Every structure is written in C-alpha cells, then in structure tokens.
C-alpha cells in the first residue's frame, strides 16, 4: 500500500478521494482471506469509509494479483486528518495477521464566514453573510443559498439572483467580472437574505429560535469544487434600553434608536413567559406589551392629528384590569391628541389582547419617536413602562 507523502492543499468542502490497492508481491504464495478497510479520522470524529471490498469475509489473491477500491468522503472540518487503512490476511499456518498504515494530511478552510442578523418584525429577520477568501489562490463563489429550518422560508435579496422575464441589458466586461463571483485572496463579498415564518407552520420568530444555515458552493482555478455550510444561525434577542435597570424614564424615553415596531419584542416576551426563550427575565420586566399595528403611517404632517392602532397584550398568567396611558413629560415632538389614557378593562392572561386607537398630534418637524407609553394595573397600581413605540417623519404642510 502506498500514498504520496503530501496531498497538497486540501480545503474544507472538498471531497477527499483515495485509491487503495493491496498487491500480493509473492511469486509463489497465495494470500488467503485478504480484507481491506479504511477510516477517516477528523479532529472530532472517526468515520468508516465504505468501499466495494466491504461485506466480504476475505478474498484469496493469487501471486502477482491484487485487490483495489476507491474511498471518498466530504471534508467538513479544518485541522489534521488521518486516513487509517487496515489490511488483514491469513498466514499459511492459519493465523490472522493485520497490517496498518496511517496517512496524515491537513485540511484548511478556504473562506471565512461572518454573519449578522437583524430582526425586521415578529416573524421575519434579515441575515447578512460576509464571505472572505482566506486562501492563497483566487476562487469563484458559484452559489450562495440559505437553508432554513422547517416552518421558515428564505429569499435572496441579491438583485442578480432575481429572475426576470425581460432580457437583461448588455453588460460591460467590468460589470461581468464584478458579478461572476470571483474572489481574489483577502477579498470579500456579502450576501443578504430575508428569512420569514410560514404562518401555516410557525406564527413568529423568537429570540434563540434557529433560522438555518448559509450554504456556499465554490470552485478553484482548476475546476475543483467544494461546499461549505456555516454554523447554525439564530434569531438575536431584543434589548430595549433601560429595561434591565427597571428605570421608568429610561424605558419610556429610550437611550438609543430602539423602537418596538417590527422589533419582535412581543414574541420574545410571549416565549419567555412559557420558558422557551433564553431571556427568561424579559417576562418579569415587561409582562404587558404595547405595539403599533400595520398599516402604520411612516410620515405625519405638522399640526395634523392622526390615529394609530395599538395592540396591547397581557402576558401575565392571570387576567388583569389594565389602563393604557401616555405621559406628556416623557413625550417629545409628538403629543397625545385627546384623552391621555384608555381603560382596557379585564384582559385575559397568557396572551389576552385588545386593540385600541390613539390620536397623536405632531408639534415639530423632523424624524421623531412616539414614546411616553405606560400601562397601569389598576387593582394594584403597578406601572409597566413601555419602550418607544415607533419612528415617524413629521413633514411641514405643503403650501397650496
């Protein structure tokens, strides 16, 4: 048995293939009950390599003859690998002997994958996949997809991947090079995917829920191909500022650009209330949530009142007598129009909800946040301050 001392550069995602041969070099003796088996040892596992020689009790090999087989396996880990080959045969005295050989080789990753996930609603996320060529040679990213878990679906937001029945305009050589997927060493490319729930199987996406994995297929200069799968990508947590400190002013006015609208906060609180989310304290910090409902106007006109529909959800384990309030001293640029409170009555626990309409009056122009919301449990007087609800662009009225 012999293999080269070095296999050259081998990358994660390629398929390792080896030809194994065992030859009876004797000119007179028959080799009896010859068996050949192989295993591939990776940094974390040891895998048997099936071949055409499996399932036999051994073969008799005449002088000068031999047996051979081809074994292969996709490489999924970087680091040192060992091909372990074992040959067994029966001696003329009838005893069984074994010959073992080990071939070590190193597997490296040709690309580095970094991901960033941003929530865009109760049941959707944007996943950004950055790919950098960390090998010493150029390569081509031939395909990039996102494989979701059951109940979710993904859509590529790369404009080049969208199908269009109309013929594409003629592109220059530079444009074709930009979109061919070629990556020089130390260069990078980014792919963007929208991941959303299939409402027939899954209602929302909560913190810690697994979204899926990015799958990248690549080719090297001589046509060698490979396939790399990223690690599991999960939904990130919602982090309203001031919530962990239980500071009502910080919560209602906020200390960052965070708003409740399309943040997934209500889904995370609901998951935490039943113990299925990592943020177990979120339910105790925010047992009642208030969120704007679609369609939500993205613009308002200065001095013109507008009605906004809000959804109030009771995540307590029991029904509560609640009141929705807006406090002027915690509002900025947009004030409440009409009554500053609304009695919600008894809301059932464990997800009981009520839809209310609230009027707002823009007082200044610019990009503002609607904030200053608080829910009060009337029986106990407990106050549950709410983070800023949504952003709005207030425009000056156009002259007629």
């Amino acid at each position: 048995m012999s293999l080269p001392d070095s296999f050259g550069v081998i990358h994660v995602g390629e398929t390792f293939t080896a030809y194994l041969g065992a030859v009876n070099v004797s000119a007179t003796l028959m080799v009896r009950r010859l068996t050949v088996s192989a295993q591939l040892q990776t940094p974390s596992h040891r895998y048997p390599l099936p071949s055409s020689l499996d399932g036999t009790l051994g073969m008799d090999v005449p002088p000068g003859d031999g047996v051979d087989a081809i074994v292969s396996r996709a490489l999924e880990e970087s680091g040192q690998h060992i091909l372990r080959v074992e040959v067994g045969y029966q001696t003329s005295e009838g005893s069984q002997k074994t010959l073992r050989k080990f071939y070590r080789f190193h597997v490296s990753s040709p690309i580095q994958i970094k991901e960033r996930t941003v929530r865009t609603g109760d049941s959707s996320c944007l996943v950004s996949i950055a790919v950098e060529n960390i090998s010493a040679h150029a390569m081509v990213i031939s395909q990039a997809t996102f494989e979701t878990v059951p109940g979710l679906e993904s859509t590529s937001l790369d404009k080049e991947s969208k199908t269009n029945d109309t013929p594409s305009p003629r592109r220059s050589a530079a444009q074709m090079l930009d979109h061919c997927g070629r990556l020089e060493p130390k260069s990078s490319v980014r792919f963007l995917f929208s991941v959303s729930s299939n409402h027939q199987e899954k209602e929302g996406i909560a913190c810690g829920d697994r979204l899926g994995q990015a799958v990248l297929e690549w080719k090297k200069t001589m046509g060698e191909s490979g396939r790399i799968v990223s690690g599991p990508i999960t939904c990130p947590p919602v982090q309203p500022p001031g919530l962990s400190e239980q500071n009502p002013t910080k919560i209602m006015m906020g200390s960052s650009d965070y708003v409740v609208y399309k943040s997934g906060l209500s889904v995370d609180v609901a998951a935490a209330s039943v113990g299925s989310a990592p943020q177990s304290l979120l339910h105790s910090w925010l047992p009642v949530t208030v969120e704007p409902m679609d369609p939500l106007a993205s613009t308002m006109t200065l001095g013109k009142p507008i009605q906004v529909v809000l959804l109030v959800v009771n995540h307590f384990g029991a029904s509560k007598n609640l009141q929705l309030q807006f406090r002027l001293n915690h509002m900025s640029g947009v004030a409440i129009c009409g009554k500053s409170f609304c009695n919600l009555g008894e809301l059932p626990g464990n997800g009981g909800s009520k839809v209310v309409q609230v009027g707002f009056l823009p007082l200044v122009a610019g990009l503002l946040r609607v904030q200053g919301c608080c829910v009060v449990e009337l029986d106990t007087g407990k106050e549950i301050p709410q983070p800023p609800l949504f952003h709005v662009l207030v425009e000056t009225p156009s002259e007629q």
Side-chain angles (χ1 to χ4, degrees):
M1 295 188 301
S2 64
L3 283 173
D5 294 333
S6 173
F7 293 147
V9 178
I10 301 180
H11 286 143
V12 176
E14 291 185 291
T15 299
F16 172 77
T17 303
Y19 171 83
L20 306 179
V23 179
N24 181 0
V25 296
S26 173
T28 58
L29 297 177
M30 171 82 74
V31 175
R32 300 191 179 278
R33 303 191 68 177
L34 178 68
T35 60
V36 180
S37 63
Q39 294 179 328
L40 182 63
Q41 182 174 326
T42 72
S44 61
H45 295 88
R46 183 183 294 184
Y47 300 98
L49 300 178
S51 72
S52 58
L53 302 178
D54 293 342
T56 64
L57 297 177
M59 293 173 287
D60 294 340
V61 182
D65 204 352
V67 296
D68 57 12
I70 294 177
V71 295
S72 63
R73 181 172 178 83
L75 300 175
E76 301 171 346
E77 295 181 72
S78 59
Q80 180 173 271
H81 288 54
I82 303 174
L83 176 63
R84 308 167 65 96
V85 182
E86 182 176 298
V87 176
Y89 62 95
Q90 190 179 72
T91 64
S92 57
E93 292 82 12
S95 61
Q96 195 72 17
K97 283 198 172 182
T98 300
L99 172 65
R100 295 184 178 90
K101 286 222 171 183
F102 305 93
Y103 303 93
R104 290 176 170 82
F105 59 96
H106 186 78
V107 177
S108 60
S109 178
I111 59 178
Q112 184 179 58
I113 302 175
K114 296 180 180 179
E115 63 87 14
R116 186 185 179 207
T117 305
V118 178
R119 300 178 74 164
T120 56
D122 291 344
S123 58
S124 61
C125 295
L126 286 179
V127 180
S128 173
I129 304 295
V131 182
E132 181 183 359
N133 180 4
I134 58 175
S135 70
H137 305 283
M139 61 172 27
V140 173
I141 305 297
S142 57
Q143 187 175 19
T145 58
F146 192 87
E147 294 183 353
T148 60
V149 299
L152 301 180
E153 53 191 14
S154 68
T155 304
S156 173
L157 300 183
D158 179 10
K159 63 181 180 180
E160 291 296 316
S161 67
K162 295 180 180 178
T163 58
N164 196 334
D165 293 335
T166 60
S168 58
R170 187 178 181 87
R171 293 188 296 190
S172 66
Q175 289 174 322
M176 293 176 66
L177 179 62
D178 288 341
H179 296 97
C180 71
R182 180 180 173 88
L183 275 184
E184 297 293 338
K186 297 185 179 180
S187 62
S188 62
V189 65
R190 188 177 296 272
F191 302 95
L192 186 62
F193 300 93
S194 173
V195 179
S196 58
S197 66
N198 182 343
H199 292 287
Q200 294 180 349
E201 301 181 36
K202 188 177 179 66
E203 285 296 328
I205 304 176
C207 163
D209 284 357
R210 184 171 172 178
L211 302 178
Q213 295 174 301
V215 180
L216 300 165
E217 298 180 10
W218 49 266
K219 293 181 182 295
K220 293 196 288 189
T221 52
M222 297 301 293
E224 309 100 310
S225 60
R227 182 177 185 268
I228 291 183
V229 180
S230 73
I233 297 175
T234 59
C235 179
V238 177
Q239 297 176 331
L243 200 59
S244 59
E245 305 170 24
Q246 287 296 281
N247 185 315
T249 300
K250 282 188 177 181
I251 295 173
M252 285 189 283
M253 300 190 68
S255 58
S256 68
D257 291 332
Y258 174 85
V259 292
V260 172
Y261 183 61
K262 290 189 177 297
S263 70
L265 177 62
S266 182
V267 176
D268 278 11
V269 175
S273 66
V274 296
S276 62
Q279 292 177 296
S280 57
L281 293 177
L282 193 59
H283 170 241
S284 60
W285 292 337
L286 206 64
V288 179
T289 56
V290 180
E291 58 181 322
M293 296 184 65
D294 287 322
L296 179 66
S298 59
T299 62
M300 294 183 183
T301 302
L302 181 64
K304 184 177 179 180
I306 189 171
Q307 295 290 315
V308 175
V309 179
L310 303 177
L311 175 66
V312 184
V313 183
N314 177 16
H315 300 283
F316 278 108
S319 62
K320 297 292 181 181
N321 184 19
L322 303 176
Q323 184 183 78
L324 178 67
Q325 298 179 359
F326 282 88
R327 299 178 176 177
L328 189 59
N329 59 323
H330 291 122
M331 305 183 78
S332 177
V334 179
I336 196 74
C337 182
K339 292 194 303 182
S340 61
F341 68 93
C342 176
N343 291 322
L344 305 174
E346 288 282 340
L347 257 65
N350 299 316
S353 62
K354 187 169 184 177
V355 176
V356 295
Q357 269 197 345
V358 179
F360 294 99
L361 179 65
L363 302 177
V364 296
L367 182 61
L368 306 173
R369 286 188 305 182
V370 175
Q371 57 193 35
C373 181
C374 185
V375 177
V376 178
E377 185 185 346
L378 295 180
D379 294 338
T380 63
K382 176 182 175 64
E383 295 184 349
I384 308 168
Q386 301 292 312
L389 299 181
F390 59 94
H391 285 114
V392 64
L393 178 62
V394 179
E395 302 174 326
T396 57
S398 57
E399 295 182 1
Q400 298 295 331

